[in-house]
Amino acid sequence: MSGATDHGGLEVLDFAECERLLTNEYVGRVAFVDAGEPIILPVNYVYRDGVVLIRTAEGSKLDAASMRSVVAFEIDGHDDEYHSGWSVLVVGVMEELDGDEEREYENLPLTPWAKAVPRTHWLRIRADRITGRRLP
Amino acid sequence: MSGATDHGGLEVLDFAECERLLTNEYVGRVAFVDAGEPIILPVNYVYRDGVVLIRTAEGSKLDAASMRSVVAFEIDGHDDEYHSGWSVLVVGVMEELDGDEEREYENLPLTPWAKAVPRTHWLRIRADRITGRRLP
């Protein structure tokens, strides 16, 4: 813990704690601007070394990746009883992997939960910035 | 249930089901563009009649509201064992309430979880569009 708090009184998580949470979780949300409006979509993902990997079919996520859009990726958790919670935010460019890059990651435990339409495209969010907050 | 599926093979939730989920949940995430970059922030909220209400302190959410930005608001849930999940997305303008409008809502169970800095500003996201998906 860094011990710092932000303007809203939330504890600021240090980078190591953000990476620990990103590594342990496997469902997050990606947000980007689609046709002029913000959109948030849940995804299952794997985090490795500053990179968030997701798999997708055709659609708005792939469109955003083809434009190398800057996106936000978020994970969070909360405890209803204690009204506590935490969140980690990753901001960076989302882009599609090519075949060689996919092979680099193919042994990662990244199986799309949605099976009806194959998720054949691998997308990478390369973190420019990783920040986290906790509400004690 | 509408019985329809989207391009990714996910079941499309009908409006009544989206409203039921929005009414039952109380933690979601709001996404908007802040200083040119997308951001996702977790919030506790109350949903009533096409409106998502949140309370906030000074900061990027209040800034977005003062500009009457179009934002995305999302809730989701997932079942780790069955790799199933659902999400509801609300898109609309976020704006700050004035005193009269606040009084209209003051009996709602909307208590900020964060206590260190008072959340004195009430924000409303007026839904232009509510959509939901489920991964069976």
Side-chain angles (χ1 to χ4, degrees):
Chain A
M1 299 302 96
S2 64
T5 57
D6 72 0
H7 68 277
L10 303 187
E11 180 191 358
V12 176
L13 303 183
D14 64 24
F15 182 73
E17 178 68 358
C18 291
E19 283 215 300
R20 189 188 69 77
L21 290 161
L22 285 165
T23 305
N24 286 352
E25 298 290 319
Y26 42 87
V27 174
R29 298 120 202 127
V30 60
F32 49 92
V33 176
D34 178 48
E37 286 188 347
I39 186 172
I40 308 179
L41 297 171
V43 290
N44 65 305
Y45 77 98
V46 167
Y47 174 83
R48 285 295 183 283
D49 304 325
V51 170
V52 174
L53 289 159
I54 63 180
R55 291 173 63 177
T56 192
E58 308 284 328
S60 58
K61 288 194 288 294
L62 186 60
D63 293 346
S66 70
M67 292 183 290
R68 304 190 74 253
S69 300
V70 174
V71 305
F73 172 82
E74 188 252 18
I75 59 172
D76 61 48
H78 58 272
D79 183 310
D80 298 342
E81 187 175 354
Y82 295 101
H83 282 196
S84 63
W86 58 269
S87 67
V88 175
L89 180 70
V90 174
V91 175
V93 168
M94 185 162 71
E95 57 198 0
E96 187 173 3
L97 301 189
D98 65 28
D100 286 345
E101 290 169 321
E102 279 177 27
R103 276 185 287 283
E104 196 182 315
Y105 292 117
E106 68 189 358
N107 293 322
L108 291 181
L110 181 58
T111 307
W113 286 16
K115 310 278 187 212
V117 174
R119 267 60 184 165
T120 55
H121 300 274
W122 288 65
L123 308 184
R124 163 177 56 203
I125 302 166
R126 213 192 285 260
D128 280 332
R129 190 156 53 83
I130 298 179
T131 53
R133 298 288 183 274
R134 176 174 285 133
L135 176 61
Chain B
M1 297 305 96
S2 63
T5 57
D6 73 359
H7 68 275
L10 303 186
E11 180 191 359
V12 176
L13 303 182
D14 64 24
F15 181 73
E17 177 69 359
C18 290
E19 283 215 301
R20 189 187 69 77
L21 290 161
L22 285 165
T23 304
N24 286 352
E25 299 289 319
Y26 42 86
V27 174
R29 297 120 203 130
V30 60
F32 49 93
V33 176
D34 179 47
E37 284 188 347
I39 186 171
I40 307 178
L41 297 170
V43 291
N44 64 305
Y45 78 98
V46 166
Y47 174 83
R48 285 295 182 284
D49 304 325
V51 170
V52 174
L53 289 159
I54 64 180
R55 290 174 63 178
T56 191
E58 308 284 327
S60 59
K61 287 194 289 292
L62 185 61
D63 293 345
S66 70
M67 292 184 289
R68 304 190 74 253
S69 301
V70 174
V71 305
F73 172 82
E74 188 251 19
I75 58 171
D76 61 49
H78 59 271
D79 183 312
D80 298 343
E81 188 176 353
Y82 295 101
H83 283 196
S84 63
W86 57 268
S87 66
V88 175
L89 181 70
V90 175
V91 176
V93 168
M94 184 161 72
E95 57 199 358
E96 187 173 4
L97 300 190
D98 64 30
D100 286 345
E101 291 170 320
E102 278 177 27
R103 277 185 286 282
E104 194 182 317
Y105 293 117
E106 67 189 0
N107 293 322
L108 291 181
L110 181 59
T111 306
W113 286 16
K115 311 277 187 212
V117 175
R119 267 61 185 163
T120 55
H121 300 274
W122 289 63
L123 308 184
R124 164 177 55 204
I125 303 166
R126 213 192 285 260
D128 280 332
R129 190 155 52 83
I130 298 179
T131 53
R133 298 287 184 276
R134 176 175 284 133
L135 176 61

mmCIF file with all atom_site columns, all heavy atoms in Angstrom, chain B residues 82-94:
data_model
loop_
_atom_site.group_PDB
_atom_site.id
_atom_site.type_symbol
_atom_site.label_atom_id
_atom_site.label_alt_id
_atom_site.label_comp_id
_atom_site.label_asym_id
_atom_site.label_entity_id
_atom_site.label_seq_id
_atom_site.pdbx_PDB_ins_code
_atom_site.Cartn_x
_atom_site.Cartn_y
_atom_site.Cartn_z
_atom_site.occupancy
_atom_site.B_iso_or_equiv
_atom_site.pdbx_formal_charge
_atom_site.auth_seq_id
_atom_site.auth_comp_id
_atom_site.auth_asym_id
_atom_site.auth_atom_id
_atom_site.pdbx_PDB_model_num
ATOM 1   N N   . TYR B 1 82 ? -20.185 -21.718 -14.083 1.00 0.00 ? 82 TYR B N   1
ATOM 2   C CA  . TYR B 1 82 ? -20.834 -22.049 -15.346 1.00 0.00 ? 82 TYR B CA  1
ATOM 3   C C   . TYR B 1 82 ? -20.374 -21.162 -16.498 1.00 0.00 ? 82 TYR B C   1
ATOM 4   O O   . TYR B 1 82 ? -20.881 -21.279 -17.605 1.00 0.00 ? 82 TYR B O   1
ATOM 5   C CB  . TYR B 1 82 ? -22.357 -21.981 -15.180 1.00 0.00 ? 82 TYR B CB  1
ATOM 6   C CG  . TYR B 1 82 ? -22.857 -23.030 -14.236 1.00 0.00 ? 82 TYR B CG  1
ATOM 7   C CD1 . TYR B 1 82 ? -23.188 -22.721 -12.920 1.00 0.00 ? 82 TYR B CD1 1
ATOM 8   C CD2 . TYR B 1 82 ? -22.947 -24.356 -14.650 1.00 0.00 ? 82 TYR B CD2 1
ATOM 9   C CE1 . TYR B 1 82 ? -23.613 -23.695 -12.039 1.00 0.00 ? 82 TYR B CE1 1
ATOM 10  C CE2 . TYR B 1 82 ? -23.366 -25.346 -13.781 1.00 0.00 ? 82 TYR B CE2 1
ATOM 11  C CZ  . TYR B 1 82 ? -23.703 -25.011 -12.473 1.00 0.00 ? 82 TYR B CZ  1
ATOM 12  O OH  . TYR B 1 82 ? -24.117 -25.988 -11.613 1.00 0.00 ? 82 TYR B OH  1
ATOM 13  N N   . HIS B 1 83 ? -19.440 -20.243 -16.212 1.00 0.00 ? 83 HIS B N   1
ATOM 14  C CA  . HIS B 1 83 ? -18.973 -19.322 -17.251 1.00 0.00 ? 83 HIS B CA  1
ATOM 15  C C   . HIS B 1 83 ? -20.147 -18.635 -17.936 1.00 0.00 ? 83 HIS B C   1
ATOM 16  O O   . HIS B 1 83 ? -20.208 -18.531 -19.157 1.00 0.00 ? 83 HIS B O   1
ATOM 17  C CB  . HIS B 1 83 ? -18.084 -20.040 -18.280 1.00 0.00 ? 83 HIS B CB  1
ATOM 18  C CG  . HIS B 1 83 ? -16.695 -20.286 -17.777 1.00 0.00 ? 83 HIS B CG  1
ATOM 19  N ND1 . HIS B 1 83 ? -15.646 -20.620 -18.600 1.00 0.00 ? 83 HIS B ND1 1
ATOM 20  C CD2 . HIS B 1 83 ? -16.187 -20.229 -16.520 1.00 0.00 ? 83 HIS B CD2 1
ATOM 21  C CE1 . HIS B 1 83 ? -14.540 -20.766 -17.871 1.00 0.00 ? 83 HIS B CE1 1
ATOM 22  N NE2 . HIS B 1 83 ? -14.847 -20.544 -16.616 1.00 0.00 ? 83 HIS B NE2 1
ATOM 23  N N   . SER B 1 84 ? -21.113 -18.230 -17.108 1.00 0.00 ? 84 SER B N   1
ATOM 24  C CA  . SER B 1 84 ? -22.258 -17.511 -17.643 1.00 0.00 ? 84 SER B CA  1
ATOM 25  C C   . SER B 1 84 ? -22.244 -16.099 -17.053 1.00 0.00 ? 84 SER B C   1
ATOM 26  O O   . SER B 1 84 ? -21.507 -15.807 -16.104 1.00 0.00 ? 84 SER B O   1
ATOM 27  C CB  . SER B 1 84 ? -23.554 -18.229 -17.290 1.00 0.00 ? 84 SER B CB  1
ATOM 28  O OG  . SER B 1 84 ? -23.731 -18.249 -15.888 1.00 0.00 ? 84 SER B OG  1
ATOM 29  N N   . GLY B 1 85 ? -23.053 -15.232 -17.624 1.00 0.00 ? 85 GLY B N   1
ATOM 30  C CA  . GLY B 1 85 ? -23.065 -13.864 -17.123 1.00 0.00 ? 85 GLY B CA  1
ATOM 31  C C   . GLY B 1 85 ? -24.081 -13.018 -17.855 1.00 0.00 ? 85 GLY B C   1
ATOM 32  O O   . GLY B 1 85 ? -24.711 -13.461 -18.811 1.00 0.00 ? 85 GLY B O   1
ATOM 33  N N   . TRP B 1 86 ? -24.258 -11.822 -17.368 1.00 0.00 ? 86 TRP B N   1
ATOM 34  C CA  . TRP B 1 86 ? -25.196 -10.888 -17.990 1.00 0.00 ? 86 TRP B CA  1
ATOM 35  C C   . TRP B 1 86 ? -24.656 -9.477  -17.773 1.00 0.00 ? 86 TRP B C   1
ATOM 36  O O   . TRP B 1 86 ? -23.806 -9.254  -16.891 1.00 0.00 ? 86 TRP B O   1
ATOM 37  C CB  . TRP B 1 86 ? -26.600 -11.011 -17.360 1.00 0.00 ? 86 TRP B CB  1
ATOM 38  C CG  . TRP B 1 86 ? -26.580 -10.784 -15.871 1.00 0.00 ? 86 TRP B CG  1
ATOM 39  C CD1 . TRP B 1 86 ? -26.446 -11.744 -14.900 1.00 0.00 ? 86 TRP B CD1 1
ATOM 40  C CD2 . TRP B 1 86 ? -26.633 -9.527  -15.188 1.00 0.00 ? 86 TRP B CD2 1
ATOM 41  N NE1 . TRP B 1 86 ? -26.414 -11.153 -13.664 1.00 0.00 ? 86 TRP B NE1 1
ATOM 42  C CE2 . TRP B 1 86 ? -26.529 -9.795  -13.800 1.00 0.00 ? 86 TRP B CE2 1
ATOM 43  C CE3 . TRP B 1 86 ? -26.759 -8.199  -15.598 1.00 0.00 ? 86 TRP B CE3 1
ATOM 44  C CZ2 . TRP B 1 86 ? -26.551 -8.781  -12.841 1.00 0.00 ? 86 TRP B CZ2 1
ATOM 45  C CZ3 . TRP B 1 86 ? -26.782 -7.197  -14.642 1.00 0.00 ? 86 TRP B CZ3 1
ATOM 46  C CH2 . TRP B 1 86 ? -26.688 -7.495  -13.282 1.00 0.00 ? 86 TRP B CH2 1
ATOM 47  N N   . SER B 1 87 ? -25.153 -8.541  -18.573 1.00 0.00 ? 87 SER B N   1
ATOM 48  C CA  . SER B 1 87 ? -24.796 -7.137  -18.350 1.00 0.00 ? 87 SER B CA  1
ATOM 49  C C   . SER B 1 87 ? -25.916 -6.258  -18.886 1.00 0.00 ? 87 SER B C   1
ATOM 50  O O   . SER B 1 87 ? -26.656 -6.646  -19.788 1.00 0.00 ? 87 SER B O   1
ATOM 51  C CB  . SER B 1 87 ? -23.470 -6.779  -19.018 1.00 0.00 ? 87 SER B CB  1
ATOM 52  O OG  . SER B 1 87 ? -23.573 -6.855  -20.419 1.00 0.00 ? 87 SER B OG  1
ATOM 53  N N   . VAL B 1 88 ? -26.048 -5.095  -18.278 1.00 0.00 ? 88 VAL B N   1
ATOM 54  C CA  . VAL B 1 88 ? -27.011 -4.082  -18.725 1.00 0.00 ? 88 VAL B CA  1
ATOM 55  C C   . VAL B 1 88 ? -26.240 -2.777  -18.924 1.00 0.00 ? 88 VAL B C   1
ATOM 56  O O   . VAL B 1 88 ? -25.415 -2.408  -18.080 1.00 0.00 ? 88 VAL B O   1
ATOM 57  C CB  . VAL B 1 88 ? -28.153 -3.879  -17.708 1.00 0.00 ? 88 VAL B CB  1
ATOM 58  C CG1 . VAL B 1 88 ? -29.073 -2.731  -18.145 1.00 0.00 ? 88 VAL B CG1 1
ATOM 59  C CG2 . VAL B 1 88 ? -28.951 -5.161  -17.537 1.00 0.00 ? 88 VAL B CG2 1
ATOM 60  N N   . LEU B 1 89 ? -26.502 -2.130  -20.049 1.00 0.00 ? 89 LEU B N   1
ATOM 61  C CA  . LEU B 1 89 ? -25.817 -0.880  -20.392 1.00 0.00 ? 89 LEU B CA  1
ATOM 62  C C   . LEU B 1 89 ? -26.845 0.238   -20.531 1.00 0.00 ? 89 LEU B C   1
ATOM 63  O O   . LEU B 1 89 ? -27.862 0.078   -21.211 1.00 0.00 ? 89 LEU B O   1
ATOM 64  C CB  . LEU B 1 89 ? -25.086 -1.071  -21.726 1.00 0.00 ? 89 LEU B CB  1
ATOM 65  C CG  . LEU B 1 89 ? -24.290 0.127   -22.246 1.00 0.00 ? 89 LEU B CG  1
ATOM 66  C CD1 . LEU B 1 89 ? -23.063 0.388   -21.390 1.00 0.00 ? 89 LEU B CD1 1
ATOM 67  C CD2 . LEU B 1 89 ? -23.863 -0.113  -23.703 1.00 0.00 ? 89 LEU B CD2 1
ATOM 68  N N   . VAL B 1 90 ? -26.571 1.340   -19.870 1.00 0.00 ? 90 VAL B N   1
ATOM 69  C CA  . VAL B 1 90 ? -27.417 2.539   -19.955 1.00 0.00 ? 90 VAL B CA  1
ATOM 70  C C   . VAL B 1 90 ? -26.570 3.638   -20.594 1.00 0.00 ? 90 VAL B C   1
ATOM 71  O O   . VAL B 1 90 ? -25.442 3.870   -20.153 1.00 0.00 ? 90 VAL B O   1
ATOM 72  C CB  . VAL B 1 90 ? -27.869 2.991   -18.547 1.00 0.00 ? 90 VAL B CB  1
ATOM 73  C CG1 . VAL B 1 90 ? -28.634 4.310   -18.621 1.00 0.00 ? 90 VAL B CG1 1
ATOM 74  C CG2 . VAL B 1 90 ? -28.700 1.912   -17.871 1.00 0.00 ? 90 VAL B CG2 1
ATOM 75  N N   . VAL B 1 91 ? -27.072 4.288   -21.603 1.00 0.00 ? 91 VAL B N   1
ATOM 76  C CA  . VAL B 1 91 ? -26.354 5.408   -22.214 1.00 0.00 ? 91 VAL B CA  1
ATOM 77  C C   . VAL B 1 91 ? -27.244 6.641   -22.134 1.00 0.00 ? 91 VAL B C   1
ATOM 78  O O   . VAL B 1 91 ? -28.441 6.577   -22.437 1.00 0.00 ? 91 VAL B O   1
ATOM 79  C CB  . VAL B 1 91 ? -25.978 5.109   -23.687 1.00 0.00 ? 91 VAL B CB  1
ATOM 80  C CG1 . VAL B 1 91 ? -25.314 6.326   -24.332 1.00 0.00 ? 91 VAL B CG1 1
ATOM 81  C CG2 . VAL B 1 91 ? -25.050 3.908   -23.760 1.00 0.00 ? 91 VAL B CG2 1
ATOM 82  N N   . GLY B 1 92 ? -26.670 7.750   -21.694 1.00 0.00 ? 92 GLY B N   1
ATOM 83  C CA  . GLY B 1 92 ? -27.450 8.981   -21.616 1.00 0.00 ? 92 GLY B CA  1
ATOM 84  C C   . GLY B 1 92 ? -26.622 10.122  -21.076 1.00 0.00 ? 92 GLY B C   1
ATOM 85  O O   . GLY B 1 92 ? -25.453 9.953   -20.710 1.00 0.00 ? 92 GLY B O   1
ATOM 86  N N   . VAL B 1 93 ? -27.237 11.278  -21.020 1.00 0.00 ? 93 VAL B N   1
ATOM 87  C CA  . VAL B 1 93 ? -26.559 12.476  -20.517 1.00 0.00 ? 93 VAL B CA  1
ATOM 88  C C   . VAL B 1 93 ? -26.481 12.413  -18.987 1.00 0.00 ? 93 VAL B C   1
ATOM 89  O O   . VAL B 1 93 ? -27.460 12.067  -18.328 1.00 0.00 ? 93 VAL B O   1
ATOM 90  C CB  . VAL B 1 93 ? -27.321 13.743  -20.959 1.00 0.00 ? 93 VAL B CB  1
ATOM 91  C CG1 . VAL B 1 93 ? -26.817 14.973  -20.216 1.00 0.00 ? 93 VAL B CG1 1
ATOM 92  C CG2 . VAL B 1 93 ? -27.193 13.948  -22.460 1.00 0.00 ? 93 VAL B CG2 1
ATOM 93  N N   . MET B 1 94 ? -25.317 12.741  -18.434 1.00 0.00 ? 94 MET B N   1
ATOM 94  C CA  . MET B 1 94 ? -25.170 12.842  -16.981 1.00 0.00 ? 94 MET B CA  1
ATOM 95  C C   . MET B 1 94 ? -25.199 14.326  -16.602 1.00 0.00 ? 94 MET B C   1
ATOM 96  O O   . MET B 1 94 ? -24.511 15.141  -17.218 1.00 0.00 ? 94 MET B O   1
ATOM 97  C CB  . MET B 1 94 ? -23.861 12.203  -16.529 1.00 0.00 ? 94 MET B CB  1
ATOM 98  C CG  . MET B 1 94 ? -23.697 12.180  -15.005 1.00 0.00 ? 94 MET B CG  1
ATOM 99  S SD  . MET B 1 94 ? -22.454 10.983  -14.449 1.00 0.00 ? 94 MET B SD  1
ATOM 100 C CE  . MET B 1 94 ? -20.937 11.777  -14.979 1.00 0.00 ? 94 MET B CE  1
#
